[in-house]
Structures are given as C-alpha cells and as structure tokens.
Amino acid sequence: MPGTRRESLSLALTGSGGTGMISAGELLLRACARIGLYGLQTRSVGPQIRGGESAALLRIAHYPVEAHDDAFHVLFAADWQNFERFAGEITLADDVVVITDEAATDIPRVVRAHAADIRHLPLHAIAREHKARINMVGLGLLGHLLRLTEEELADIIHWFFTRKGRQQFIEPSIAAMRAGFALAEPMLEEVPSLRTTPDAARAQAKAGRRWLISGNQAVATGFLQAGGRFVAGYPITPATDMLEWLAARLPQLGGQLVQAEDELAAINMVLGASYGGIPAMTATSGPGFSLMAEGIGLGVMAEIPALIVDVQRIGPSTGIPTKSEQGDLQLALCGTHGDAPHLVIAPDCINDAIRTTAWALHLAEKLQCPAVLLSDQKLGQMLSVIDAPEGMPPWKAERETVAACETGDYRRFALTDSGISPVALPGAKGCMHTIDGLEHDEAALPSSKVEDHAAQLEKRWRKLQQMEEWPEEEMRHWADCIGTGEVCIITFGSSAGPAREAIRLAADMGLHARHISMRLLFPPQKKRLHKLLEGVKRLIVVEQTHSGQFLHYLKAHYELPEVVISCRRPGPKPITPQQVLRALREACTVDAKLTERVCT
Amino acid sequence: MNRQTAPAPKPGDYKSGVHPVWCPGCGDFAVLAAITRALAKLQLPKHEVALVSGIGCSGRIPAYLDVYGFHGLHGRALPVATGLKLSRPELTVLAAGGDGDIYSIGAAHFVHACRRNPDITLIVMDNRVYGMTKGQPSPTSEPDFAAALQPEGPHVPPVNGLLLALSAGATFVARAFSGHVDALAEMIIAGIEHPGFAVIEVLSPCPTFRPEQTQWKRQVEDDVFKPASSLQEAMAQVISAPELGTGIVWQTTRPAAEHIPAPPADHAAVMREITQAFLP
C-alpha cells in the first residue's frame, strides 16, 4: 500500500558478476545497524567461482529479525542476466517497486506480469558519469528509501574503501551515491517506508549495543569463548568462511588452525589434539560430514571430546552447495556405525549460536564425547544485526583429569556411576595406557568379551542418558518454550526464527500458541519435552526437509499429542513466518486429524 | 622430576606385558624390541612418549608398550599423531603402521605429513601383504603375488615408499630390516632425534602369508644407502638400490609447518578485542 508505514522492509538487490550487489547489501545493512535498526541479509549466488549472478536479500526492521518476510517490497536490478535462476527465491509483494536501468529491455516476464510499478532510471549512466560502480548508485537510492542520510551513507563508503586500502574510490563512489540518493526523491511518497528510527535505538547503536555478525562467526566466537584452541578443517561451502575467520583469530588465543588434506584427516587431527588435552573442533558441510562419520565413531569408542560443526547445505552428494536445508539431521543422529551415542545440538539463531556452541563444547569435554553441532547455510551465512550479548556465555571446556597415578593400576574406562571416567592425559606420570577403537575393558585393554562390551556400551550410553536427571538449572539451555495455548509449533535449528515470528504475528491476531525450539536433540530429553507439551492438543512440526526427518525423529523418541501436523519444505526457498502462520491458523481452526502435509 | 634418582629404565620396562596377537616368527616382534631398546637408550620417561597406530597387525603395537598409546582407525595414524604433537609438543610422538595402512588407505596422509614435517617418527612395518585380513596383496606386493582376492596378482608396480617420501618433502628417509634389531634401534633413535618428520620403512617379514620372506635375513643388504647431499642423489640411490637395501638415504632440516602458540594471560581481554570487530 503506497504511503503506509511498515515495521519491516524487504529489499532484493540482483545483478550479474561485477555489479557488487552483495557489497551494496552489506553496506546498507551496516549503515542501518549504525542508526539502531535491525536487519538481516542472506545471499543467493550461482555456482560460478567468481562473478555470475548474485542476489543480496535484505530485511530491515525496528525489531530483531531472524527470518525473511514472505515477499520483497523493493527489487533493485542492476541487470536481468540469469534472473530466472533465483526468481523462485524472490517472491514479489503486490505493491513491489521494481528499479531497473532506463535502457533495460529484458525485464523477465515473471517480473513484468507481477509488478505494476517499474521505475526505469539512468543507473548505468550515473555510474559511468562518476566513474563508479552501479552498486554505489543503488546504495544511495535504496539508502534514501530506508531514510538513511547522505552523511550516513558517505560514512559507510568511507569506511568500506579505507578498510580495503582503496581510498581512490571514495570520492567517485560518494558522488555516485549522492546522485542515486537524488533519484529516490520522487519515490518517497509512494514507496512504503520504515518509521523514523527511535532516538533510543540510535543511542543504543552509538553505545555499541549492536553487533553485525554472521552465524558462522557466532559459532566460531562461542568455540573460542569456551576455550577452544585447535581447529582442523578442509575447505567446503558453506563452512569455509568459519574456518577462515578462526584461522585469523586462533593464534591470538594460543590456538592454531590446520588446513587438513581432507575431512578424514581433519576429524582425526581433532581427535589427536583433543587426546592431548586441547579443546578442538572442525567445521564442515554434508559431504565432508559424511566422510567424518568413522572418526566420530572413534571419538565415541575412545571417549575423546570433539566438536563437529555441520553447516548443512542441500544434498545428497554435491547437491546445491550454496543453499540451505536441514537434511543432515538423521545423518547427525545415526550416521556412525554401531551403537554410538553422541551429542547432537542445534543453535536456533545467530545470537544463540554463540551460547549454544560454547555449551556444546562444554558438554563434549565434560562427557568425553563427540558433539555434532547442526547449523545450516541459511543460519551460517546470514549476516544479521543483533543485540550485543549482555555477557559471554558461562560454559567452559573442562575435562575431569587425573594428574598422576601412584600404583600403576589406572583404569581409563572405569565403570563409574555417571559413566564419566577421569582421564589421564599423555604426560601424566604412571597412568600410561592405550586408548583404542577396539572394544576394551576398564583398563583400556582390547576385549571381545560379552561382559566387557555390555558394560562399556552401557557406560557410554549412561553418561549421556544421565543428562535427563541433571538439575534444571544445568539443563535450562536444552530448549526454549515461548507462548501458551493448545497449539504448539516445534522446531530445531534455523527454523525457529520464522516460527518465533509467526507466534508474535498470531498473538497480534488474538491466536495464542506455543513454540518449542529444541537445541539438544541427542540424548532425547523425554521428561523435559513431555512437560513442555503438557496441555498441547495439536503439534505443528516445522522443518526444512522434504521427507520430514525431524517429524520422524520426534515420533521415534517422544509421545506426541494426538494431532501432529507436518509443515515442511525443502530448500532453497526459506521457511517464512507467514508460511508458519498459515499452518498455525489452519491448525487452530480446521478440525485436523493426523496429517502429513507439505506447507506452501 | 625425579628422573635422576629413579633407576634407569631398561628395554623391558617399556613393555606393557600384554601378549601380542602376532604369529610366531612375525617381524613385528623385533620392531617392538627395537622400539623398547631405542627408548631405553634415550632414557625417555615412559609417560612422555606416545605411540599412535592405525589398523592391521602393525596397529596392535601400542598396547604392547607401556607408554601412551592410541590405536585408531585404519590409515589415520598420521593425522592423529599430527594433532597430538601440535597440542603436546613436549611429548615424543611415534607413529606406526603397515604398508596397507600407510601407503594405501592412508597414502594421502603420508604425503601431507611429509610436506608438513611435524616432529614425529613414523615406522612403516612393510611385509608386502595384508596380514590381519589373511593374505591379500598390498600396495608393496610384487606384481605377480597371486592371492584369492587377486588370483593373477595385482599386476601393477608396487609403491616405492622411500621415493614417495622423498618427492613429498620428507626430511628424514630410511629403510631398515626388523631382523637386525640393534641397527633398527639405532635408526629409530636417529629418527627420534631428527627434528622433523622421520620416515623409517622397516622390512618386517610375514611368515604366515609370505613364508618366502623368511629368506630376507639372507637377502637384506645393509647400509647400501649413504646420506645423500642432494634430493636428486637421494632419489637416484633409491631407484638404483637393491630391493632389500637398508640405510639412511636422506636427512635435512626444515621447520615444521604448524605450531600452537602459548595461550594469552588474559583470555577475556582478547575475546573483547576480537568481538569489537562485530560493532557495525
């Protein structure tokens, strides 16, 4: 609706290689963060190594946002080459304003058919005139639509090129930005705008109360915060940028990253370093995670802590490396051979990723067990403005150790009540032993006896199962539950974002529902989940998979309410708050019986 | 701590007392003996030594020693040893594997360990056969070594481990024979004292599946290799040497690729500095 004010505005910037759309999007988001607005950016890129078509997808709001809206209100197209490749990910709002070059003759049918308001503007001419890139024209134009000032935009341009050591581009870019800024003037009346930023928000931003951070950076920060000091990894999209970020920062904290020759080496280097006593992790994605399965099993058998971060992408095989799905859940739970109990934990938003990663490393060390952290491309590569954490998470990597043994009868795998056996790290005098991928007895000697296998297998399960009995204050982080009512949405990982927003939207309509976001997926917390589900009549399981992996997991481990509705969609089109809201409204109104329906 | 007052350890002190699974006459017994002699001669405290292995007959060796042992996955001894040495540089880290373990399933790790040059001594127990799985051809088997899995023999040239090590950048490359225990022990000492990745290929006969290898004791030619002054010369020596020749063929020094620095005094202060970069 022209002229109305919105709480959030979604913008898509698209163009072929060299148009710098991703950079422009990041600069817009950063400029918004500096004045106290919240927002996020995801990117959709093609398979090209460099260049090729790319889209920066932004949502700017007055409140923290974790997910994209249903549709985009502004589409800025530097050109239309290969637009069809991601047209399916960019749903246009009914009142969308499309901004394109005056000379554009190739506007795709899908856009022409939908958009009433297409503005042909001299974008390329301005860029040429000022010897600048078209993204700077876009930055000025879109910045103006977002009610940023020319000074704020000039500051961000200055910051950008100074950081890159390319000061010669500052002046022409600012000139192009100003010309783009002027182009927006006639649109301001008709283009939906955000309210002016509240003064309090501006003050908060000024006081450093906002962070601009990606999910991958948040995971890495949590690892460092908890005391992680060794990383081995092999480049793989979309985990590589986490490894690169860590490589630059680990040495400051007495740590080191090794670029391994493959994922088999990466997981085994992690086990070796952790066996030596240094908290360690690797980060990978589906194909690499598959290769690590045997190593994770060794970590279970030899009781070596390790953190394995899987930034999920679309599979199987090479799949769609740059795009998101939650399809590794069953692999994370059951991907190793034998009965191999290990931790599976999922952070549910960027802010949470710092805490949850620290918690996962803490648990892995405490329980002497590998922990799989399930992130995904959407969460990992999403750049988001968040409230700076009030404090860093309290959890630290701490392993119960034995300093020395006097009598020489150290039992590495002693059958304790908790299942946790204090570990003598190499170097501990008198405690020499050999840890083994072979089944073993308490003294770590290889054993194929019925009773040793039974006792050790049970011990490895026990140390995880006992978490159900841990006091609530220690386990508070296992899941979050918000809202009330008989209808409940349940999610894991990045699907929590759209679900939380759907709950808020529903509340505005007078519909009251709950949302449970599970972080700890294994070991299952039966009593705890059943308590959260008390009074729930209808459960909506929301996940980004085709086959309903999360639904099947829930059915396998928990007693669920009578009516269970599966709301699922494969990637790369993200689950949106509106989509969850539709499922919620239907669940509240229709007399639904057990259904497995695919959300639209 | 009380290293001066404790009685000097003897080779037997480094044995765990666990009875090996190996067949009578297996060359690996002698490798075990040579390791204990080397450790005793160097007077290394047992708790400051770690031995990492993979899977196969060779992989069983850590459990027979009273040091810190890690019997991991098939082929993956070197990544584990690399991670361990990085996290605990003060330890003496040895890795052991067989010809299948190191040159086949773990070949990629072998190449890259040579490149990285961690201060680890690798002992490759080469018997030219997969013994634990009962007699399949290995990457060092002769082309005509016929077995049930490959009835005509592999019919491909065997891997030359020394040449592979040289071309991948190993800084210490040698071959020894398990039957000559003292010479092998000396070689292991040289490997441990070498500041970098030391590759010692040990001819270790399998009397069960390769009974003809019991003749190696008459065929081995000791000290045919002389430490070469250039890589070209080292490669030429390996190419022209008799198949069962022993000796150190190459030794040079090059810093290890990676190391873990000391942690900062104030972790929280560094974290604050790192997270400052998230301010928009």
Side-chain angles (χ1 to χ4, degrees):
Chain A
M1 279 173 286
T4 52
R5 288 174 164 181
R6 288 177 189 269
E7 294 290 337
S8 87
L9 191 69
S10 293
L11 308 95
L13 290 72
T14 70
S16 56
T19 54
M21 290 299 106
I22 305 280
S23 298
E26 285 187 20
L27 291 177
L28 273 176
L29 187 61
R30 188 173 291 272
C32 288
R34 285 182 176 187
I35 63 160
L37 289 170
Y38 294 92
L40 60 83
Q41 173 179 301
T42 60
R43 39 190 181 164
S44 181
V45 294
Q48 292 82 358
I49 306 304
R50 208 174 180 95
E53 72 286 358
S54 61
L57 308 174
L58 277 90
R59 185 180 180 198
I60 307 290
H62 287 294
Y63 50 89
V65 282
E66 303 175 48
H68 274 303
D69 208 344
D70 247 20
F72 287 86
H73 312 109
V74 178
L75 169 60
F76 178 92
D79 58 58
W80 296 101
Q81 289 176 33
N82 295 320
F83 178 82
E84 288 85 353
R85 288 199 192 166
F86 38 60
E89 294 167 58
I90 304 174
T91 305
L92 301 176
D94 290 340
D95 57 351
V96 65
V97 174
V98 177
I99 298 158
T100 184
D101 192 67
E102 57 190 352
T105 53
D106 54 348
I107 301 174
R109 183 191 302 269
V110 55
V111 175
R112 272 185 287 131
H114 193 90
D117 191 351
I118 300 180
R119 308 282 174 125
H120 291 268
L121 299 170
L123 307 173
H124 285 285
I126 291 174
R128 272 195 302 273
E129 183 192 336
H130 294 285
K131 296 189 167 54
R133 288 167 81 195
I134 190 170
N135 65 342
M136 292 297 142
V137 183
L139 178 65
L141 199 164
L142 298 171
H144 199 174
L145 292 183
L146 285 162
R147 301 330 191 246
L148 293 159
T149 66
E150 284 180 87
E151 288 63 43
E152 285 158 355
L153 292 165
D155 281 351
I156 212 81
I157 291 172
H158 203 273
W159 172 87
F160 180 66
F161 287 109
T162 305
R163 198 189 52 146
K164 293 188 133 193
R166 301 199 171 166
Q167 282 83 349
Q168 71 272 26
F169 294 126
I170 294 175
E171 266 191 46
S173 297
I174 289 178
M177 177 275 289
R178 288 188 195 280
F181 195 91
L183 285 181
E185 196 64 48
M187 276 182 249
L188 293 176
E189 290 281 304
E190 294 153 62
V191 170
S193 71
L194 290 179
R195 288 193 189 110
T196 335
T197 322
D199 289 342
R202 274 180 192 271
Q204 276 201 325
K206 260 207 153 73
R209 299 311 306 150
R210 297 280 195 278
W211 279 6
L212 183 63
I213 182 174
S214 75
N216 278 348
Q217 290 168 347
V219 165
T221 301
F223 171 73
L224 294 179
Q225 171 59 27
R229 283 177 56 209
F230 180 76
V231 180
Y234 186 75
I236 187 167
T237 304
T240 311
D241 54 67
M242 186 192 307
L243 297 171
E244 289 172 337
W245 192 90
L246 282 162
R249 284 151 189 90
L250 274 161
Q252 299 174 51
L253 288 162
Q256 175 71 44
L257 178 138
V258 174
Q259 182 182 333
E261 55 270 27
D262 53 33
E263 285 90 351
L264 307 169
I267 183 68
N268 281 281
M269 284 178 184
V270 163
L271 293 175
S274 178
Y275 168 64
I278 285 192
M281 70 163 258
T282 182
T284 186
S285 189
F289 187 56
S290 302
L291 288 178
M292 291 181 184
E294 191 189 18
I296 295 170
L298 173 61
V300 172
M301 182 60 112
E303 303 198 33
I304 306 169
L307 181 67
I308 301 99
V309 180
D310 176 11
V311 189
Q312 299 168 92
R313 66 191 216 187
I314 295 180
S317 190
T318 312
I320 307 180
T322 53
K323 299 189 181 184
S324 202
E325 218 166 58
Q326 295 185 297
D328 292 356
L329 173 62
Q330 292 295 347
L331 178 67
L333 291 164
C334 316
T336 49
H337 61 274
D339 276 329
H342 59 276
L343 296 155
V344 181
I345 296 170
D348 80 355
C349 68
I350 292 181
N351 213 327
D352 179 64
I354 303 171
R355 292 189 297 274
T356 297
T357 308
W359 191 53
L361 186 66
H362 164 78
L363 289 176
E365 291 278 331
K366 180 181 172 127
L367 296 168
Q368 301 180 25
C369 175
V372 175
L373 191 81
L374 273 181
S375 178
D376 58 40
Q377 185 274 335
K378 188 177 82 171
L379 182 62
Q381 296 195 316
M382 179 188 285
L383 192 62
S384 178
V385 183
I386 63 168
D387 286 318
E390 286 300 325
M392 276 299 196
W395 300 290
K396 291 286 180 186
E398 285 158 341
R399 220 180 297 181
E400 197 181 339
T401 56
V402 175
C405 308
E406 289 300 325
T407 52
D409 61 352
Y410 172 66
R411 292 175 306 146
R412 169 65 188 94
F413 301 109
L415 298 171
T416 59
D417 286 345
S418 66
I420 302 167
S421 322
V423 59
L425 299 175
K429 210 174 168 188
C431 317
M432 290 76 68
H433 62 280
T434 291
I435 60 161
D436 213 313
L438 283 167
E439 187 57 285
H440 39 255
D441 63 13
E442 286 187 85
L445 295 173
S447 170
S448 53
K449 289 182 192 163
V450 172
E451 53 274 25
D452 283 331
H453 181 50
Q456 291 292 323
L457 192 56
E458 206 282 320
K459 161 203 187 339
R460 294 189 290 267
W461 277 96
R462 184 163 73 236
K463 60 181 183 175
L464 265 68
Q465 280 172 331
Q466 51 149 346
M467 290 177 78
E468 277 222 79
E469 310 307 325
W470 284 2
E472 281 311 305
E473 61 265 27
E474 255 181 84
M475 287 295 291
R476 202 154 286 149
H477 200 63
W478 92 275
D480 273 349
C481 183
I482 58 167
T484 54
E486 295 184 346
V487 175
C488 179
I489 302 167
I490 190 163
T491 58
F492 81 98
S494 69
S495 297
R500 272 194 282 263
E501 191 167 338
I503 293 281
R504 279 196 294 269
L505 294 170
D508 289 347
M509 298 172 171
L511 286 177
H512 294 286
R514 292 183 216 186
H515 171 230
I516 297 169
S517 167
M518 290 176 67
R519 296 190 185 90
L520 182 62
L521 297 165
F522 204 93
Q525 302 296 302
K526 285 188 203 299
K527 281 182 270 186
R528 290 193 168 89
L529 185 64
H530 292 157
K531 194 163 171 218
L532 296 181
L533 286 172
E534 267 171 26
V536 171
K537 298 265 166 56
R538 290 173 186 186
L539 184 69
I540 307 169
V541 183
V542 177
E543 62 185 301
Q544 186 120 47
T545 73
H546 177 73
S547 62
Q549 294 192 19
F550 185 48
L551 171 74
H552 299 308
Y553 156 82
L554 290 170
K555 282 182 179 173
H557 293 284
Y558 299 100
E559 284 155 38
L560 301 179
E562 196 184 336
V563 178
V564 178
I565 298 161
S566 174
C567 176
R568 60 193 197 239
R569 166 196 277 178
K573 193 169 183 176
I575 291 170
T576 64
Q578 298 293 339
Q579 177 191 2
V580 181
L581 182 64
R582 281 192 292 275
L584 187 58
R585 293 176 72 180
E586 216 174 279
C588 290
T589 51
V590 178
D591 184 26
K593 279 286 164 201
L594 178 73
T595 60
E596 281 195 26
R597 54 185 292 281
V598 176
C599 284
T600 50
Chain B
M1 273 63 76
N2 54 355
R3 213 177 292 175
Q4 287 82 8
T5 53
K10 296 181 182 58
D13 295 334
Y14 289 92
K15 288 194 176 167
S16 68
V18 174
H19 187 70
V21 295
W22 299 323
C23 310
C26 176
D28 293 353
F29 283 105
V31 177
L32 177 62
I35 292 173
T36 61
R37 283 186 210 183
L39 297 178
K41 194 143 184 195
L42 289 167
Q43 292 290 294
L44 291 171
K46 295 193 279 187
H47 59 280
E48 291 174 15
V49 178
L51 173 55
V52 181
S53 69
I55 295 294
C57 300
S58 62
R60 294 295 190 126
I61 202 163
Y64 309 142
L65 285 161
D66 192 26
V67 299
Y68 280 93
F70 191 121
H71 181 202
L73 301 176
H74 196 21
R76 317 294 165 221
L78 286 172
V80 169
T82 302
L84 175 59
K85 183 68 190 179
L86 280 165
S87 77
R88 301 296 298 279
E90 77 280 14
L91 299 176
T92 297
V93 178
L94 310 174
D99 36 310
D101 212 18
I102 301 295
Y103 298 146
S104 189
I105 191 169
H109 310 312
F110 176 69
V111 168
H112 294 279
C114 291
R115 291 180 59 222
R116 276 192 198 98
N117 198 33
D119 189 6
I120 292 167
T121 303
L122 169 68
I123 298 168
V124 187
M125 295 141 87
D126 181 17
N127 57 10
R128 305 183 180 179
V129 71
Y130 285 90
M132 188 151 270
T133 47
K134 305 199 191 309
Q136 297 76 30
S138 88
T140 52
S141 293
E142 300 79 352
D144 60 352
F145 171 59
L149 193 59
Q150 298 200 61
E152 307 295 323
H155 277 287
V156 287
V159 168
N160 186 324
L162 303 196
L163 209 49
L164 187 58
L166 289 170
S167 55
T171 53
F172 180 107
V173 180
R175 187 187 286 137
F177 173 51
S178 68
H180 298 167
V181 181
D182 282 327
L184 174 56
E186 287 304 319
M187 194 88 87
I188 293 170
I189 289 168
I192 290 172
E193 287 179 338
H194 172 72
F197 190 56
V199 178
I200 304 171
E201 185 184 88
V202 183
L203 300 164
S204 182
C206 175
T208 303
F209 298 105
R210 304 299 307 267
E212 67 280 13
Q213 289 174 350
T214 56
Q215 295 308 306
W216 277 0
K217 58 180 176 283
R218 276 180 273 283
Q219 296 159 347
V220 163
E221 295 179 50
D222 271 330
D223 296 323
V224 298
F225 295 127
K226 304 293 172 208
S229 55
S230 72
L231 193 57
Q232 290 91 326
E233 194 198 311
M235 287 185 168
Q237 277 195 47
V238 171
I239 291 167
S240 59
E243 206 190 321
L244 300 174
T246 72
I248 298 170
V249 70
W250 179 239
Q251 187 168 13
T252 185
T253 52
R254 179 161 57 81
E258 285 109 0
H259 72 286
I260 295 185
D266 190 346
H267 183 272
V270 179
M271 282 308 294
R272 275 196 298 277
E273 191 189 316
I274 287 173
T275 54
Q276 277 289 309
F278 295 136
L279 295 175

